[in-house]
Every structure is written in structure tokens, then in C-alpha cells.
Amino acid sequence: MAFDLDALNLRALARGCAVLGTGAGGDPDLGVVMAQQAIAEHGPVPVVRLADLDEHACVMPCGMVGAPTIASERIWSGDEGAVLARMFEQLHDGPVTALMCFQIGGANGLLPVTWAARCGLPLIDADGMGRTFSGLHQQAMHVAGVPASPVALTDGRDNTLVLRASDDLWAARLAGDAAASLGGVCAAALYGMSVARARDAVVEGTISLALRLGTALGGGGIESAVAAVEDVLGAVVLIEGKVVDLERRGNEDVEFGSATVQGTGAAAGRQLRLELRNEFLLAFEDGEVRASVPDIICVFATDTGEPIESETLRYGQAVAVVAAPGPAVWRSPRGLEAVGPRAFGYDVDYTPRAGVGARVRA
Amino acid sequence: MAFDLDALNLRALARGCAVLGTGAGGDPDLGVVMAQQAIAEHGPVPVVRLADLDEHACVMPCGMVGAPTIASERIWSGDEGAVLARMFEQLHDGPVTALMCFQIGGANGLLPVTWAARCGLPLIDADGMGRTFSGLHQQAMHVAGVPASPVALTDGRDNTLVLRASDDLWAARLAGDAAASLGGVCAAALYGMSVARARDAVVEGTISLALRLGTALGGGGIESAVAAVEDVLGAVVLIEGKVVDLERRGNEDVEFGSATVQGTGAAAGRQLRLELRNEFLLAFEDGEVRASVPDIICVFATDTGEPIESETLRYGQAVAVVAAPGPAVWRSPRGLEAVGPRAFGYDVDYTPRAGVGARVRA
């Protein structure tokens, strides 16, 4: 069903995107302010289904590339989407019909709302990940064989790049390096495709999902947060407890590390270890994998019920760790090749875990 | 006068390019082997003057960007020029009529010969520097106001980039970073322009000059080398002596440092200090500037008469240091802004020095 993004539902969308960030992807809140202003000036953004669009229409997946921490301190002009759309029209020899978030999780679930409003274009109810991944090749379109190239990049300050890479891994690497050159972060459009091609190459329904999730979360503390992810994502609680060990290393782009949560209350005596690489990737208990990427692992602060980004997690914090099954595309062989535990260097096979995914995701 | 580059004069061209490298730009010898093979397969490369070309014809300045030390260990496919020409034709909406070295000094004086042979296109008797500079904005075209963008880049392995920068400094920075992403070095075409525009925007006659210089050098030891640069470039000898101090620091892209030459023979008791940043930039004696960029400063090995690259200069080596005036474009106010001593961070104004340039450059 088609609906609009407007001043009333943007905050709920942002809350949903924060959970789907699985600990990474940047804070969507700044994006809310930008989108509110763009919507005030240009009107609400229609969210449309692929089924409602002409099959020859051109879809532009877009978002930011680079370090989210820099992005949150950067002034976006808001024109980046229009610059990318003009580049895309030249590259694909025709008008862009709709924008799509390439990543629903984190700040990238919001930034394209601003761009869509300012371009006067609809946003597709879909994205390329159904969550957050740090690699630009970790996209459903990649799994479906849609090439990332040509990739359009701009810093919104008159610098643009078009890159055509020999494969999607090179595209991801070159785009990441270009973002670094452009000051740490830039706007990107890639995986350009027709609506017909998109139909079996994207994760559909994820704007609706994030909105439903954000609405259910409601800001009502940890109980309602847990109830919301159980209900909307089919999540299970892995542990409630306290961060008793935290090890982190990395640079401005990547944060590696692990966190140990010591159970409290009913979980007293138990310990869960989280492995992270920007996103929360794996949860171990007693040497057994309790959940692993592409499962969506999310850590909530017990005192506020808000999801916590991996880089702001701190020693002593009281948390609830939940896990939900990720989109089906990631559990296919090609999907696991791109985003399974081994893609991140862990010598672990992905298997759906007891509990996680026992309830069907809405 | 039009002439051909062929198996007979390539070595002389390379010798001339090595001197014009002013200590940098990479070893042209690998380029000789590639060019010989390309010429054997595709025939000699015509070298033409701008005056002989249609004024609407499109000129493609090209060469490699990145670290020459990596370039010398890298396998070029030889097709990079054809890839760049196809990209340029799209970007400039018409066929490329002739290639031009953007840098005559070092390896970049030879690489476009291979590309021209394989594309079946002539090479213009001109370049963008009349010597070597490490910055892509340090081009006569930049001084004349021809924009570097759009810049076409390829690694010759199916990765291509087109970048449009807000100014030539950003273009240089982004292209340098892209070269690093592509493995340290890549092929580039930039400053695309018509023949009419090129007429007051390039350094003309530099292929002929390098060839004349290389022919005069002849490989006959230090006396004939010094006589050749005096005769062809109007150079003066700054000192003959021995390297008694050498300080170097830097990374794979940039080598900073200084070298002190203690005079021997008639120069006994004198000392000359060379400052280098890839290229030899300044020569001081008793606190006075004897020569400075954009002067062409070249160091010859006394035992062989061969020019020495700054990064292979070694302690104890017997050398002759010479200086010649650089092309006139660099002594203009805009030229000095781009390549004068201050552009390299030295608090020194450029003034033509006594001796250097006293003889008119051929």
C-alpha cells in the first residue's frame, strides 16, 4: 500500500532504522531534522511499491558512503541526491523514476528521504540490505547479479566521480577510498536498474517494516522495546545483563572488537560474548554460537530502551541483547558468501539458531 | 617539422626525458622496451606540431599517475591509452585526434609513445610541463586556465574512473588518491582541449628537445653530458664533487630530503646543498640560492655521465650538479604560483640566478 513520509512519521522511521542498524550505520536523528525541513519545503515523500511502477522505470539506490561518525558532523547541502540523479540520468540514458535507500539501517534509512523530497521523486518501499552492512558489495542487488557499476559519487561541493569497476568488490573498495579522499564521507548512487530487474533483486517492504518497528518501539522503555522487536522482527532475547568487558580497536572507518555481557536477574551466572565489526556480528555463549550474521543482533540500553551503536557501547552499561533473522536473501548460498560469518573472517558456518527466527518475521 | 619516433631514436628520447625528470618521474627505460614492441607491431609514431593539426581536433594529454617506483615494477597491458581514448571520446563528444605527454620528464615521456602506436594516433611535439612535477595541477594547461576535469583514469584491468573536481587542485588530489586505490599507479588522461586552445596552453617542442638532448648526451661520459646540457638546455654547472651528507624521509609517493655535495677539483672547499621533494628543487651555496624550481636541476653521476634520480642518489657518490632555466610558462606569476619555491613550502622567491639561463635555451 502506498503511503507518505511526513512530519508525523519520520521519528518512528528513524527509530526503526536505528534498530535495523544492528549497532552501526550512524545515528538517523540528524537525518530526521534534514528530512523534516525538506518535507516542509517540498511536501511529503510518497513511498511506493515496485509493483506500482512501470517496469522500465529507472531505480536509483542511494545513500552515504564512508565513516558515519564523520557524516554526523558534516554539513550536507541536501542537493547531493539531485546531483546523483543528474549523473544517473546520463549514465543510464534516461530519467530516474524513484529513489531507494541502499541501506535501511542507520542514517542511510533517512538521508534518501531528504533527497527524494528535494528531487520531487518517490521512495521505493525497499532497500538493498534489510539492515546495515559496511560493505557496498553486501547488497541484495549484488547477490542477484545486478552490477554496482557505474557508481556515481559526490561530496556535494562540486566534486563528482563516476567509477566502473571490474567487479562489485572493487567498486566497494574504490568508492570507500574515494569517500576518504572527499573528506571521509560522500553521497553515492549505484546498482542502477529497471523496476523489472529490481523485483527479484532488492529487499522489499523495508521502509514499512522500519516504520512499523519504530511505531511499536514507541519510546516506552526496555519492556516495550523488547516486545516490539519480538512482535515485528520475530526477535528473541539472548541475554539481559551488564557489559563487563569491552575490547575495541580500529580507525575512523572500522571498529573491531568484542563485548562481554554478564547476565543479571533471571540470567544471573550466564555470559554472552558479542563480536563486532561496526555491526554486531556474532553472539557466543559457553563457546556456542547463539546468533550470527546475517541475523540482526541489536543491543538495547536497559535504562532508556534505545538501541546502542557498537561504538558508543560502554563498560558497565545495563543492556538487553536481542537477535532476529535477517532477510531471506542473506541466507541463500550467494547471500552467505557475501555476508555470512566467513565473509567477516570468522571460522563459523551460519545456521539458523534455536530461538532466533522461530517466529516468522512479519 | 614532423618526424617519426621509431626503433632508432627511442633510446635518445629516453635519455633526454631522464634529464628533464630533474631527479624524478621514474626511469624511462622500461618505456623504451614497451614502445619498441608497440612500434614493431603497429609502425612508427608520427610526431606532429599543433600548427599542422585542425584547430577543432581534440588533444588528449596522458600519462601515468602515482608512484613511479611502483610503476616500474608494474605490468602495463599497453591498452591503457586505448581505454583512455574511448573514455575521452565520450567525455568530449568526438574522436581523439592526437595524444600528448602531460609530462615529458621521466617515464611519462615514453609511456604515451606506446599508447599512440597502439591507437594509431600521432603524438604532439609538446607536453604540459617541459620537465617533471609531481602535481597534476602543475601543468601549463592549468596556468592557461584549461580545466583538468573531466579526468579519466584506468588501471588497465577493467577499472575506470571519471572525476570532475571543483578545481585542479582537487582533481590532482582525487586522481592521486584513486591511483593509490588502484594499486599505487594508474593511467590518466586530463586537460582535454582543442588544438586551438592548446596553442597557448602547452609547452611546445619538448619531444624534439628531449630527442636533441638525448642525442647530444650520447652516452659518452660526464664531459659530453655536461656539454650536451650546456648546449641544448643552456645549463650551467653548479658544482662537481661528492655527496657528503644525505637526509631522506617520505613514503612511497613522496621523497623529501636534502643532499650536500662537497666540491672536488676546481670546486674544492665549496659546498652545495640540494633540497628535494621527488624532484631536485633548490640548490644553496653559502646560504644563497644558486638555482631554484622552476629551474631544471639535474644531477649526473661523474663515473657514467648518467642522470641520477633523487631516490637513488647515495652517500659518497661523485656527481656533477647542473641547472638550466625551465620553460617560460613557469616564470610567469601564475606559473610561479603553481611551481615556484613557495608552492613547495620554501620561503624563497624565485629569481633567475646569475649563470642559470644566461645562455638562451634552444
Side-chain angles (χ1 to χ4, degrees):
Chain A
M1 199 187 66
F3 60 95
D4 285 346
L5 290 174
D6 55 32
L8 296 176
N9 55 14
L10 280 176
R11 289 236 168 255
L13 176 64
R15 281 195 299 269
C17 292
V19 173
L20 295 173
T22 71
D27 181 356
D29 277 356
L30 182 69
V32 172
V33 179
M34 283 178 61
Q36 276 172 335
Q37 190 182 337
I39 285 171
E41 286 173 25
H42 303 275
V45 172
V47 177
V48 298
R49 295 181 315 169
L50 285 174
D52 299 330
L53 294 172
D54 181 277
E55 64 175 18
H56 301 296
C58 174
V59 177
M60 183 173 91
C62 53
M64 66 166 180
V65 181
T69 36
I70 293 176
S72 67
E73 296 177 353
R74 185 188 185 291
I75 307 297
W76 295 90
S77 74
D79 283 332
E80 298 83 9
V83 173
L84 293 175
R86 280 197 300 275
M87 294 171 75
F88 238 53
E89 284 175 17
Q90 267 211 321
L91 294 170
H92 293 280
D93 232 356
V96 168
T97 304
L99 308 192
M100 185 184 94
C101 302
F102 63 61
Q103 172 184 294
I104 191 71
N108 267 334
L110 267 292
L111 198 50
V113 179
T114 297
W115 295 342
R118 294 177 64 119
C119 290
L121 289 173
L123 199 60
I124 295 173
D125 190 3
D127 80 311
M129 298 180 174
R131 47 167 291 164
T132 288
F133 286 117
S134 301
L136 282 177
H137 60 291
Q138 293 169 319
Q139 298 266 350
M141 293 79 88
H142 169 76
V143 173
V146 177
S149 300
V151 181
L153 302 168
T154 180
D155 63 353
R157 292 189 306 273
D158 302 322
N159 289 312
T160 68
L161 280 92
V162 173
L163 61 92
R164 294 171 197 270
S166 51
D167 60 38
D168 294 346
L169 266 157
W170 266 100
R173 177 179 165 179
L174 293 173
D177 287 353
S181 306
L182 290 169
V185 70
C186 68
L190 65 175
Y191 293 104
M193 60 197 154
S194 69
V195 165
R197 190 73 185 82
R199 279 179 190 154
D200 62 359
V202 304
V203 186
E204 286 205 70
T206 47
I207 299 264
S208 308
L209 177 75
L211 205 46
R212 212 155 59 239
L213 182 57
T215 306
L217 284 163
I222 188 67
E223 287 79 13
S224 85
V226 167
V229 293
E230 284 175 345
D231 184 43
V232 179
L233 296 182
V236 296
V237 176
L238 298 180
I239 201 164
E240 294 188 61
K242 221 178 198 179
V243 178
V244 294
D245 194 30
L246 195 56
E247 198 188 332
R248 272 195 295 231
R249 60 193 189 285
N251 53 34
E252 65 183 26
D253 288 328
V254 186
E255 175 115 334
F256 300 90
S258 63
T260 303
V261 178
Q262 174 87 52
T264 51
R270 289 173 48 209
Q271 269 201 343
L272 190 82
R273 193 175 91 246
L274 290 168
E275 291 287 317
L276 63 96
R277 188 178 183 286
N278 293 347
E279 301 87 52
F280 295 113
L281 294 177
L282 290 145
F284 292 94
E285 184 169 353
D286 295 330
E288 296 291 315
V289 176
R290 290 281 315 273
S292 83
V293 67
D295 293 341
I296 292 170
I297 300 174
C298 187
V299 178
F300 288 93
T302 306
D303 55 352
T304 62
E306 298 288 328
I308 305 171
E309 285 201 78
S310 67
E311 62 177 11
T312 59
L313 193 68
R314 57 186 170 68
Y315 179 81
Q317 198 162 22
V319 298
V321 182
V322 307
V329 58
W330 298 127
R331 300 193 297 269
S332 69
R334 255 183 79 91
L336 287 171
E337 199 181 302
V339 307
R342 292 186 189 284
F344 296 91
Y346 295 96
D347 190 17
V348 167
D349 282 318
Y350 175 78
T351 46
R353 307 293 154 186
V356 177
R359 298 178 60 177
V360 174
R361 177 168 165 181
Chain B
M1 199 187 67
F3 61 93
D4 285 346
L5 290 174
D6 56 32
L8 297 176
N9 55 16
L10 279 176
R11 288 238 168 252
L13 176 64
R15 281 195 300 269
C17 292
V19 172
L20 295 173
T22 71
D27 181 355
D29 277 356
L30 183 69
V32 171
V33 179
M34 284 178 62
Q36 275 172 337
Q37 191 182 336
I39 285 171
E41 285 173 25
H42 303 274
V45 172
V47 178
V48 298
R49 295 181 315 169
L50 285 173
D52 299 330
L53 295 171
D54 181 278
E55 64 176 20
H56 302 293
C58 174
V59 177
M60 183 173 91
C62 53
M64 66 166 180
V65 181
T69 37
I70 293 176
S72 67
E73 294 177 356
R74 185 189 184 291
I75 307 298
W76 296 89
S77 74
D79 283 332
E80 297 83 10
V83 173
L84 293 175
R86 280 198 300 275
M87 294 171 76
F88 238 53
E89 284 176 16
Q90 268 210 319
L91 294 170
H92 294 281
D93 232 355
V96 168
T97 304
L99 308 192
M100 185 183 93
C101 303
F102 63 60
Q103 172 184 294
I104 190 72
N108 267 334
L110 268 290
L111 198 51
V113 178
T114 295
W115 295 343
R118 295 176 64 119
C119 290
L121 290 172
L123 199 59
I124 295 174
D125 190 2
D127 81 311
M129 297 180 173
R131 49 167 290 162
T132 288
F133 286 117
S134 301
L136 282 177
H137 60 292
Q138 294 170 318
Q139 296 267 350
M141 293 79 88
H142 168 76
V143 173
V146 176
S149 300
V151 181
L153 302 168
T154 181
D155 63 354
R157 293 189 306 273
D158 301 323
N159 289 311
T160 68
L161 281 93
V162 173
L163 62 93
R164 294 173 198 268
S166 51
D167 60 39
D168 294 347
L169 267 156
W170 266 100
R173 178 180 164 179
L174 293 172
D177 287 353
S181 306
L182 291 169
V185 71
C186 68
L190 66 174
Y191 293 104
M193 61 197 153
S194 68
V195 165
R197 189 71 186 84
R199 279 177 189 155
D200 62 359
V202 304
V203 186
E204 287 205 70
T206 48
I207 299 264
S208 307
L209 177 75
L211 204 47
R212 213 155 59 237
L213 182 57
T215 307
L217 284 164
I222 188 66
E223 287 80 12
S224 85
V226 167
V229 293
E230 285 176 343
D231 185 42
V232 179
L233 295 181
V236 296
V237 175
L238 298 180
I239 201 163
E240 293 187 62
K242 220 177 198 178
V243 178
V244 293
D245 194 31
L246 196 56
E247 199 188 331
R248 271 194 294 229
R249 60 191 189 287
N251 54 34
E252 66 184 24
D253 287 329
V254 185
E255 175 113 336
F256 300 90
S258 63
T260 304
V261 178
Q262 174 87 52
T264 51
R270 288 173 46 209
Q271 268 200 344
L272 190 83
R273 193 177 90 246
L274 289 169
E275 290 289 316
L276 62 97
R277 187 177 183 286
N278 293 347
E279 301 88 52
F280 296 112
L281 294 177
L282 289 145
F284 292 94
E285 184 169 351
D286 294 332
E288 296 290 315
V289 177
R290 289 283 315 274
S292 84
V293 66
D295 292 341
I296 293 169
I297 300 174
C298 186
V299 178
F300 288 93
T302 306
D303 56 352
T304 63
E306 297 289 327
I308 305 171
E309 286 201 78
S310 67
E311 63 177 11
T312 59
L313 193 67
R314 56 186 170 69
Y315 179 82
Q317 199 163 21
V319 298
V321 182
V322 307
V329 59
W330 298 127
R331 299 192 298 270
S332 70
R334 255 183 78 91
L336 287 171
E337 199 181 302
V339 306
R342 292 186 190 283
F344 296 90
Y346 295 96
D347 189 17
V348 167
D349 283 317
Y350 175 78
T351 45
R353 307 293 154 186
V356 177
R359 298 178 61 177
V360 176
R361 176 167 165 183

